[in-house]
């Protein structure tokens, strides 16, 4: 006779975590270069719906870790890729998951340093983030 025990869902959406990610962008991250330098990062609706919320909100039912372990995001030149990548790295570093690691791939060391430098400036510019990172 089959077991009547209900199996946990393979994947589920954590609305609170998804909202937290968007909140970090809106309330703690500021642009650090270009004409928007010093202004709060106000994500576009498509960035929220197609990048932040899915990457952070979807969880694995077995252990509640994030469903997506890697993301490939392709955006045309001069559309804030470094700022976006730095923000996602900060979200990863403030994650509740134990031992969370964040990596950013680039063609060379100088390119890799761009996202690190932007993220560092964002953290240094926010007292709350700088107290935890």
């Amino acid at each position: 006779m089959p077991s009547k025990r209900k199996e946990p869902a393979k994947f589920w959406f954590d609305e609170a975590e998804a909202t937290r990610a968007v909140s970090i962008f809106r309330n703690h991250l500021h642009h650090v270069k270009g004409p928007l330098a010093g202004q709060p990062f106000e994500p576009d609706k498509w960035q929220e719906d197609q990048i932040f919320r899915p990457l952070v909100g979807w969880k694995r039912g077995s252990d509640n870790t994030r469903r997506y372990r890697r993301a490939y995001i392709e955006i045309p030149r001069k559309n804030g890729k470094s700022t976006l990548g730095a923000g996602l790295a900060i979200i990863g570093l403030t994650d509740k998951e134990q031992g969370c690691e964040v990596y950013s791939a680039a063609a060379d060391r100088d390119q890799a340093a761009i996202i690190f430098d932007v993220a560092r400036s964002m953290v240094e510019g926010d007292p709350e983030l700088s107290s935890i990172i």
Side-chain angles (χ1 to χ4, degrees):
M1 179 176 215
S3 170
K4 294 195 183 225
R5 185 179 62 160
K6 187 173 180 173
E7 294 295 320
K10 189 170 184 178
F11 301 110
W12 62 283
F13 192 78
D14 185 340
E15 182 65 37
E17 272 299 293
T19 300
R20 182 186 79 87
V22 173
S23 160
I24 288 173
F25 270 93
R26 285 205 168 111
N27 300 319
H28 297 283
L29 303 182
H30 290 77
H31 292 276
V32 296
K33 59 184 183 177
L36 297 176
Q39 294 182 29
F41 187 107
E42 189 61 43
D44 292 333
K45 184 75 170 133
W46 70 268
Q47 292 170 318
E48 280 187 39
D49 294 345
Q50 296 177 29
I51 300 174
F52 310 146
R53 296 179 67 74
L55 280 177
V56 177
W58 280 106
K59 302 291 180 95
R60 297 172 185 274
S62 58
D63 60 5
N64 293 334
T65 57
R66 290 207 181 126
R67 175 181 184 179
Y68 300 109
R69 310 288 172 119
R70 295 183 187 106
Y72 175 79
I73 302 167
E74 190 169 338
I75 301 172
R77 287 175 44 88
K78 300 297 175 192
N79 278 284
K81 290 183 295 295
S82 299
T83 302
L84 179 77
L88 288 170
I90 291 167
I91 287 171
L93 291 172
T94 60
D95 197 3
K96 295 175 187 173
E97 190 175 318
Q98 286 286 349
C100 185
E101 296 178 358
V102 176
Y103 298 92
S104 178
D108 60 44
R109 188 177 192 85
D110 290 338
Q111 275 190 327
I114 293 171
I115 289 181
F116 176 83
D117 291 340
V118 171
R120 181 180 54 208
S121 295
M122 287 176 155
V123 168
E124 289 171 351
D126 184 82
E128 189 174 339
L129 285 176
S130 62
S131 72
I132 60 173
I133 297 180

